[in-house]
Amino acid sequence: MKKLMLATGNSGKVRELNAILAGVCEVISQKELGVNEVPETGLSFVENALIKARNASRQTGLPALADDSGLVVDALNGAPGIYSARYAGEGATDEENLQKLLSDLKRNNNDNRQARFWCALAFVLHGDDPTPVIIQRGWEGKIIDEVRGEGGFGYDPIFYLSTHNCTSAELSSEEKNKISHRGQALQAFLKQLKD
């Protein structure tokens, strides 16, 4: 496999995926080839990742890797979950989504701040691949009320890692790529490719 289509339009995800996959294969984002995005109509991260991978592969004829990921907060019964990127509505900014999450937690009046980022990767050799590779990984943390850090994107500034005594946004991109949900899933994907 010489070329791999990244089925995402999220520039933060493209940066992270490129950093991890560099040197393994030529990585092309779907925006570069004008792939039309498809509605994420699945009810799980896995279903949405598979929808995106199949769509990108069908439109380009290339093997495609898609990620669907988001934040799962225990006190909010798993919300924002698969709606993480549009939690405050279609076209919402990262800041709007983050503020809605904090507002919902405050209104919920629950002290449980346990949360996890979840990533589902789906890889298909072609659009109708009957044996897609599916990999899922989680990254445990808790939600804090104070925005901390300049790195990352999305909910990173409020996702606190007790193991590192900082938020995800305070990690270097190299460290985040090693330990994050997406980083763990991509390392498992690379191992499977090599095997």
Side-chain angles (χ1 to χ4, degrees):
M1 179 175 53
K2 294 182 180 174
K3 292 184 179 181
L4 173 67
M5 168 67 52
L6 293 181
T8 182
N10 183 309
S11 59
K13 289 181 183 182
V14 170
R15 274 193 312 277
E16 286 183 8
L17 293 167
N18 263 321
I20 294 168
L21 295 173
V24 176
C25 55
E26 183 185 347
V27 177
I28 303 165
S29 84
Q30 68 179 17
K31 277 191 173 182
E32 290 177 56
L33 295 182
V35 171
N36 295 318
E37 292 189 20
V38 64
E40 296 176 30
T41 57
L43 299 177
S44 70
F45 292 114
V46 170
E47 289 174 305
N48 285 335
L50 197 50
I51 287 168
K52 292 188 281 190
R54 289 193 188 287
N55 174 64
S57 187
R58 284 181 181 130
Q59 289 187 45
T60 64
L62 294 171
L65 177 68
D67 139 272
D68 197 49
S69 55
L71 183 66
V72 176
V73 180
D74 292 349
L76 299 177
N77 296 321
I82 61 172
Y83 306 104
S84 293
R86 54 193 183 279
Y87 192 50
E90 285 296 326
T93 65
D94 285 353
E95 179 65 20
E96 290 166 336
N97 288 328
L98 186 149
Q99 291 304 323
K100 177 172 173 32
L101 177 73
L102 291 177
S103 174
D104 287 354
L105 276 172
K106 193 174 287 185
R107 204 171 28 256
N108 182 282
N109 204 19
N110 186 327
D111 290 337
N112 181 3
R113 293 300 183 104
Q114 287 304 118
R116 71 211 42 82
F117 275 120
W118 194 259
C119 175
L121 287 181
F123 171 75
V124 295
L125 287 170
H126 53 83
D128 297 317
D129 189 343
T131 58
V133 174
I134 306 290
I135 297 171
Q136 297 187 79
R137 293 293 185 273
W139 191 25
E140 294 293 325
K142 70 177 189 176
I143 303 302
I144 60 173
D145 290 323
E146 173 191 3
V147 172
R148 291 177 31 190
E150 300 295 320
F153 61 97
Y155 301 96
D156 286 343
I158 58 171
F159 187 73
Y160 183 78
L161 307 161
S162 57
T163 55
H164 290 70
N165 197 28
C166 67
T167 67
S168 176
E170 294 174 295
L171 294 172
S172 69
S173 58
E174 294 79 18
E175 182 68 11
K176 182 182 176 191
N177 287 344
K178 285 181 195 170
I179 65 173
S180 75
H181 55 309
R182 195 170 299 108
Q184 292 176 53
L186 280 167
Q187 292 305 324
F189 172 67
L190 287 176
K191 184 179 184 311
Q192 192 156 341
L193 272 184
K194 290 173 185 172
D195 291 347

